[in-house]
Amino acid sequence: MRSLIFALCLLSLSLNAGEIIQAGSLKVAVTPVQKVDKVPMGSYLGTYTYPAKHRFTISANVDGFVSEIAVKPYAYVKKGQKLFVLKSPKLLDIQSDYIETLIEFEFQKKEIERLKPLSESGVVASKRYIAAKNKYDQLKASITFKKNILKAYGLTKAQLNKITAQHKANPTLVITSPANVTVSELDVQVGTFVPQGAMLARLVDTTECHFEIDLPWQLTAALSQGEELYSDKTIFTIFAMSPEIDSVSQTRSIDLHEEKGCQARGGASLNVTLYRKMNAWVVSSSALVGTQNGYAVFVAQKEGYRMVPITILAQLEGKNYISAPLKAGDKVAISSVLALKSAVEGSSE
């Protein structure tokens, strides 16, 4: 204790001459500052998820019986590949009604072709031709409507053309894959009756997934869509941010797109330390000293030490990331900083 008091007495408090403090016999350890271009935002738990556009639910387009399952669980399937075959009595009824309308339409078409020249020559009344023409137009509209219904039930253009040409109903519905995907779940068995809308399978495209994470809303206020964030092993891009703050956790959800891809890790949770692109200096916690206006460090000079105000940007594992008017090669005091601070306070009195 006496040695410390003695050392303080030897301090030369010449702050008016460039704010330099000469330490005298006071022993002060120093360490060089380190410049970095990324500042930590903290460590958070996030989860890999597949975006909605990469998830598919395969449902029964119409009531029917599952007559074939052409795919296995967790199999990779290509776009257009057969997944299921349904036998549907309801589909048979709708197709039969469509064919009946089609036959009547074809008859009516021939009828107006026959009546038109007779009407023009006055052999038959024009009223008869007009009635036949109206019936033809009604049947034409009805065919278009019933075609759209069959398309909604899952029939392809090729299947419709075949039914139209052959006038033969086919109650078989083939369900194919909408994309190059992996089967994540199968929900039916062969012979099962499924109502319209019942789920048959879930598919997922694993080529892309996002990393969803909740951050304190104060931290997200400075972030923007498209900005890059960093972890120790990868680069993320902010894909989207929740427009609302969770009232309980006071956080905002962030959707990050990983540069290297998530390698089919959908559903996995991971604790990551995120960094923002920002120029800063790294110093030990022992270098910081509190002041009335915030914090400061003592930078070593030839004549002694100069107190430099700093702004703390982040703290991580005993390191402080700061903004300060420093330069490469500067060294800061990491011991006896309270004694140096006392000297500054004494000189100002």
Side-chain angles (χ1 to χ4, degrees), residues 79-235:
K79 183 177 181 179
Q81 183 174 333
K82 182 168 68 174
L83 301 177
F84 301 96
V85 177
L86 299 183
K87 296 285 188 179
S88 173
K90 182 176 181 180
L91 195 60
L92 180 62
D93 292 341
I94 297 173
Q95 289 180 13
S96 298
D97 181 50
Y98 167 71
I99 291 170
E100 288 179 9
T101 305
L102 190 64
I103 292 172
E104 189 177 356
F105 169 77
E106 292 169 351
F107 170 80
Q108 201 66 28
K109 181 179 180 181
K110 292 178 180 179
E111 183 68 4
I112 64 169
E113 289 174 353
R114 183 183 69 85
L115 292 175
K116 184 176 181 181
L118 296 176
S119 173
E120 291 173 348
S121 61
V123 176
V124 298
S126 60
K127 183 178 180 181
R128 185 175 173 185
Y129 168 74
I130 293 172
K133 181 66 168 59
N134 288 339
K135 181 66 174 178
Y136 169 83
D137 291 339
Q138 291 173 4
L139 290 170
K140 185 177 181 180
S142 180
I143 286 174
T144 301
F145 175 73
K146 290 175 182 179
K147 267 188 175 181
N148 290 334
I149 291 177
L150 289 170
K151 287 179 182 179
Y153 282 135
L155 265 67
T156 64
K157 184 177 180 180
Q159 288 174 306
L160 275 172
N161 290 340
K162 186 175 181 180
I163 293 170
T164 302
Q166 297 181 354
H167 290 182
K168 183 178 179 181
N170 183 0
T172 301
L173 178 64
V174 178
I175 299 176
T176 60
S177 174
N180 297 336
V181 289
T182 300
V183 179
S184 62
E185 184 179 349
L186 280 177
D187 242 23
V188 293
Q189 296 177 340
V190 173
T192 304
F193 175 81
V194 289
Q196 182 180 358
M199 190 188 79
L200 304 177
R202 296 187 191 277
L203 312 176
V204 63
D205 178 1
T206 60
T207 58
E208 178 186 344
C209 67
H210 294 183
F211 190 66
E212 294 186 356
I213 196 165
D214 294 334
L215 300 179
W217 70 268
Q218 298 92 334
L219 193 60
T220 63
L223 301 178
S224 59
Q225 187 172 347
E227 181 178 350
E228 289 186 341
L229 300 180
Y230 303 82
S231 72
D232 294 330
K233 297 181 179 180
T234 190
I235 300 174

